[in-house]
Amino acid sequence: MSRKYLLLILFCGILLAVPSIVRDTFYLRIVTEAFMWIGLAISWDVLAGYTGYLNFGHGIFFGVGAYTTSILMNLCGWSFFMTLPVSALVAAVVAVIAGIPTLRLKGAYFAIATWALARAIQQMVLVASFTGGPDGMRLPPFLHPGFFYYTMLIVVGGVFALNWFLLEKAPFGLKVKAIREDDQSAMSLGLNPTKIKLQAFLLSAVPAGILGAIYAYWITYIDPASVLGDMVTDQAVVMAVFGGLGTLIGPAIGAVIIFLFKTYFWAYLSDYQVLYLIILGGVIAASVVFLPNGLWGTITSYRQSDKALKHEPVSSRSDDKGDPHV
Amino acid sequence: MSEPFLQVNAVTKTFGGLHAVFQVSFQMNAGEIIGLIGPNGAGKTTLFNVISGFYAPNSGKILFKNLDISGKPPYKLARLGIGRTFQVVKPFAGLTVLENVVIASFVKYPQRRKAEKHAWQILEMTGLVDRANVQASSLTLAGRKRLEVSKALALEPTLLLLDEVVAGLNPTEADRTIELILSLRSQGITILIVEHIMRVIMNISDRVVVLNFGQKIAEGSPRDVAKNPEVIQAYLGEAPQ
């Protein structure tokens, strides 16, 4: 146990020391963005993996957070840190408004509804004038890679710790899993599914809003496609699915691997950019077929099958989930 | 104490034009075991779903300890002390047996540690202790039925609705479940049980309510009900002339 804590402290120490070791801002940027994707993947997984709701509009919260910060800094002249709580709040409000009607849906219907909502919000931002429409918004540049590294590290680390506590330690985690496994049975055991699903939705949306806010200030330019387009959601989905749904560490590993692959490809193989999406698609298809529980899920089930002779075949789990009792 | 524990007053539940349950009334006193029987499609499970809050009745009232509970959502009834099992068992398949019961324990024990301790006690009582750490999906049918009962019991209910917890079990398993039900009664839990196996109903019920085509056709002691010509007719059809 104490060895575990020592390793954790060592790991945190290394993370804190990164900006003083990595002098090259190019690499520091990569690490910073990797953190951001870890945050997006684990926050998406709160709803998808733990609660069983595939949200294809996760980018909504990222984009809403980014736009809130941009508008407040540009039009109202607020300082960055003052805008963060507002971005979180706006993401929460959007989550409640979007969640109340959509969380009644299940399975593919929820996925379609959230995806459609994301497209609708992207269109609204595109035609509005205070958002700059298709031209996007420029923010006052603040060129300090270390600042963004630490901000990202603190936020993502905090989200990771909060999710670990709420989902793995506190009763809340078991409650959302109960809803995922069988909401009727959960209801007969005193759980209010609507309330718990909404809480999970908030736990998923608010971090995405904060990450969007940081992203906007960091990149200093946002437009509807870059922060509200499909790519934000899709990449988080792909990372979480590849890493392993329903775990904390899985989506984080998936985020690092896929983000590094993408960055490497774009930096060194830019002549072959067309191939990137093709390869990514192939990897996803292969991981769904061969690693239905994701990278981390496969590793842990191997470990368990070593311990116990009998372990549940992965395919029976996915059969259960596919059961359309919608 | 003269107040009935549960009062079902002229409850009707309609699906489309079909009366699944029509004008059904009966009462339960505290500590009783009442058997609810009837041929397939008689409306037993529908009545269960109405009492446990999954359906709101179209008309009629349900009073639990003199409190009108008709149409209240299931999770509120669970907190009031009404536990139920499902005929088609609904384990949280991907979680362990212990976790399944811990979830139900949160109603009375919001803290994880206390809920876990309580869950162990429940599993001790229902005989699932040695399966506590396996996935619920790997239980046998008998185990899953036991888990259903364990989850309902973890609510510390005063009223327990059991929907076919014996059907599908072999005689030894059935006997163990019957023993369990009787021990629950001795703890003062009032039980409404739906069952097809007459041996069970006749042995453990204080009174029996018989439904046919959604209506109550008989009520009384198991012995009287078994002799009732209308009940025999409902089960076996009309005698040839």
Side-chain angles (χ1 to χ4, degrees), chain B residues 1 5 9 16 48-49 59 89 101-102 108 126 178-179 213:
Chain B
M1 204 50 236
F5 189 70
N9 283 340
F48 252 52
N49 283 336
S59 68
V89 289
V101 182
V102 168
K108 284 282 158 70
T126 54
I178 292 168
E179 263 170 47
F213 294 116

Side-chain angles (χ1 to χ4, degrees), chain A residues 89-145:
Chain A
L89 188 71
V90 173
V93 170
V94 173
V96 170
I97 295 171
I100 287 172
T102 54
L103 284 168
R104 289 162 186 272
L105 305 169
K106 281 182 188 169
Y109 300 99
F110 178 78
I112 293 167
T114 47
W115 179 81
L117 186 69
R119 297 290 70 75
I121 289 183
Q122 191 184 350
Q123 284 304 314
M124 285 189 324
V125 171
L126 212 50
V127 296
S129 56
F130 63 97
T131 58
D135 298 335
M137 291 185 102
R138 238 165 253 291
L139 285 94
F142 182 64
L143 304 173
H144 194 307

Side-chain angles (χ1 to χ4, degrees), chain A residues 168-171 174-175 177-182 184-193 310 312 317 320, chain B residues 54 74-75 78-79 84 86 90 92-95 99 102-104 106-107 110 112 135 137-138 151-152 155:
Chain A
E168 301 293 343
K169 291 289 143 193
L174 277 180
K175 288 180 184 173
K177 286 178 192 166
I179 306 277
R180 174 189 75 194
E181 297 290 329
D182 194 313
Q184 297 243 309
S185 181
M187 230 191 314
S188 78
L189 299 177
L191 304 184
N192 178 350
K310 207 175 133 195
E312 190 199 11
R317 267 302 296 279
D320 282 351
Chain B
F54 279 85
Y75 53 88
R79 290 171 201 162
R84 73 161 293 178
F86 290 89
K90 294 178 181 295
F92 302 128
L95 307 181
E99 284 172 332
V102 168
I103 287 164
F106 285 142
V107 166
R112 178 112 184 208
Q135 284 225 320
S137 58
S138 69
K151 281 156 75 180
L155 298 171

Side-chain angles (χ1 to χ4, degrees), chain A residues 242-261:
Chain A
F242 179 69
L245 292 182
T247 59
L248 258 180
I249 200 81
I253 293 172
V256 171
I257 292 175
I258 293 199
F259 176 72
L260 290 184
F261 168 70

Side-chain angles (χ1 to χ4, degrees), chain B residues 37 42 70 222 225:
Chain B
I37 62 170
S70 14
V225 162

Side-chain angles (χ1 to χ4, degrees), chain B residues 10-30:
Chain B
V11 163
T12 297
K13 175 67 197 171
T14 315
F15 296 111
L18 179 82
H19 292 299
V21 173
F22 186 69
Q23 297 283 331
V24 171
S25 304
F26 64 92
Q27 296 191 344
M28 292 181 77
N29 299 315

Side-chain angles (χ1 to χ4, degrees), chain A residues 46 79 176 207 223 248 290 319:
Chain A
V46 170
S79 76
V176 294
D223 68 357
L248 258 180
F290 298 111
D319 279 355

